[in-house]
Amino acid sequence: MPRASGPLAEALSRRTVVLDGGLSNQLADQGCDLSGGLWTGRVLAEAPGQVEAAHTAYARAGAEVLITASYQVGYGAFAARGHGRAETTALLHRSVALAARAAEAADHEVWVAASVGPYGAVLADGSEYRGRYGLTVRELAAFHRPRIEALLAAGPDLLAVETVPDAAEAEALVTVLAETGAPAWIAYTVAAGRTRAGDPLAGAFALAAASPQVIATGVNCCDPQDVLPSLEAAASVTDLPLLAYPNDGSVWDAATGTWDRPADPAPWPTAAWQRAGARLLGGCCRIGPARITGLAAEVGSAEPE
């Protein structure tokens, strides 16, 4: 069937849409090797069939949006590991094509969102959870521009601008989005009522919402307990549909390359998130297909008036 019957923004005006879960954990569960600093990008380069299989698992679980495996694909990072510019562009195109194939094989409509990860992701040192890279807005825009252009050339339905740690990087991304005119969502990674870099949330969300290209804004890759106050902060400055795809509450230890799991994972008050304005709901790191199946059932039974 066709990937989707219309723009995602139109669907969000009518109902809540279910996102997929964490790509990295699903690839690991499939037996893939994510070591070496390129993370899911390594599997994209070496075993693309596994990436398509992961997307398919989420579509079968009920996901209506598949996020591509381009999060950590950057020209500089891949060049340092022997990948030429043309090869990296081909990998960005491949990431969209693999998600599109899984979407087209699904028994329900599925949108493809091309992942645009933050600058810190390509450093593979946990910088996306800190921000403040020491780069100017112009330098950050120059980093993101060729990746975004390459992804758009492959024909996704929209861009998933995700795990943004600070307002400066969001400003750079909004600049590039304005040049392309492409629809996108912007999701910040947050903690304790601020962006990871310490920016006030209301201002960060206002910056994102001011872009005509942004169809939704919210949070991802955060503790579930941070979701509701973040959505409330977003709702105070915008009427845009909101989004949330947290992880399971684990904390990433960049030094050891492992997740520190919470002793008592926080519940997901899905209905409260929807009442706060969330219209895109899914999972990030360590959230797999089984949780997405459950989330789809929760969303269907808790659709707000």
Side-chain angles (χ1 to χ4, degrees):
M1 65 180 295
R3 284 200 327 232
S5 59
L8 180 58
E10 290 183 5
L12 296 179
S13 70
R14 302 189 305 271
R15 63 182 181 88
T16 304
V17 175
V18 178
L19 300 169
D20 59 8
L23 185 60
S24 59
N25 48 268
Q26 179 60 22
L27 290 172
D29 288 347
Q30 292 172 196
C32 299
D33 186 353
L34 278 69
S35 64
L38 296 180
W39 202 34
T40 55
R42 174 177 179 176
V43 186
L44 178 66
E46 298 178 359
Q50 292 283 4
V51 174
E52 185 175 352
H55 288 317
T56 298
Y58 281 117
R60 289 174 176 168
E64 300 171 274
V65 180
L66 299 177
I67 303 173
T68 66
S70 49
Y71 176 84
Q72 204 151 1
V73 180
Y75 286 98
F78 271 67
R81 294 167 175 82
H83 296 268
R85 191 172 186 83
E87 185 180 359
T88 301
T89 297
L91 288 175
L92 291 167
H93 291 178
R94 175 187 288 177
S95 73
V96 176
L98 294 172
R101 283 211 293 264
E104 289 159 4
D107 62 0
H108 56 279
E109 66 177 350
V110 177
W111 290 267
V112 172
S115 175
V116 179
Y119 176 81
V122 304
L123 302 179
D125 64 357
S127 292
E128 65 264 50
Y129 299 119
R130 298 189 298 270
R132 301 288 192 267
Y133 315 117
L135 300 178
T136 66
V137 170
R138 179 176 293 185
E139 289 169 331
L140 287 168
F143 165 78
H144 284 293
R145 186 173 288 109
R147 303 167 69 216
I148 287 175
E149 290 174 348
L151 287 167
L152 290 175
D157 295 299
L158 74 161
L159 298 172
V161 179
E162 54 184 355
T163 326
V164 180
D166 61 41
E169 187 159 22
E171 182 180 351
L173 286 156
V174 163
T175 298
V176 179
L177 291 176
E179 297 167 359
T180 67
W185 76 62
I186 292 182
Y188 290 96
T189 180
V190 301
R194 290 180 174 265
T195 69
R196 295 282 188 162
D199 302 308
L201 289 183
F205 288 126
L207 188 157
S211 168
Q213 284 71 50
V214 173
I215 67 164
T217 189
V219 296
N220 79 295
C221 209
C222 62
D223 191 299
Q225 296 180 95
D226 287 315
V227 170
L228 186 56
S230 299
L231 294 176
E232 291 170 344
S236 73
V237 295
T238 180
D239 293 326
L240 280 178
L242 305 181
L243 63 93
Y245 49 117
N247 57 35
D248 67 348
S250 296
V251 177
W252 177 248
D253 186 333
T256 62
T258 58
W259 288 97
D260 295 328
R261 298 185 63 182
D264 187 17
W268 286 24
T270 306
W273 295 352
Q274 289 178 274
R275 287 193 296 270
R279 292 295 177 271
L280 274 168
L281 288 173
C284 201
C285 301
R286 303 180 62 83
I287 302 299
R291 185 67 186 90
I292 297 305
T293 296
L295 179 63
E298 293 168 27
V299 164
S301 64
E303 203 58 75
E305 295 295 331

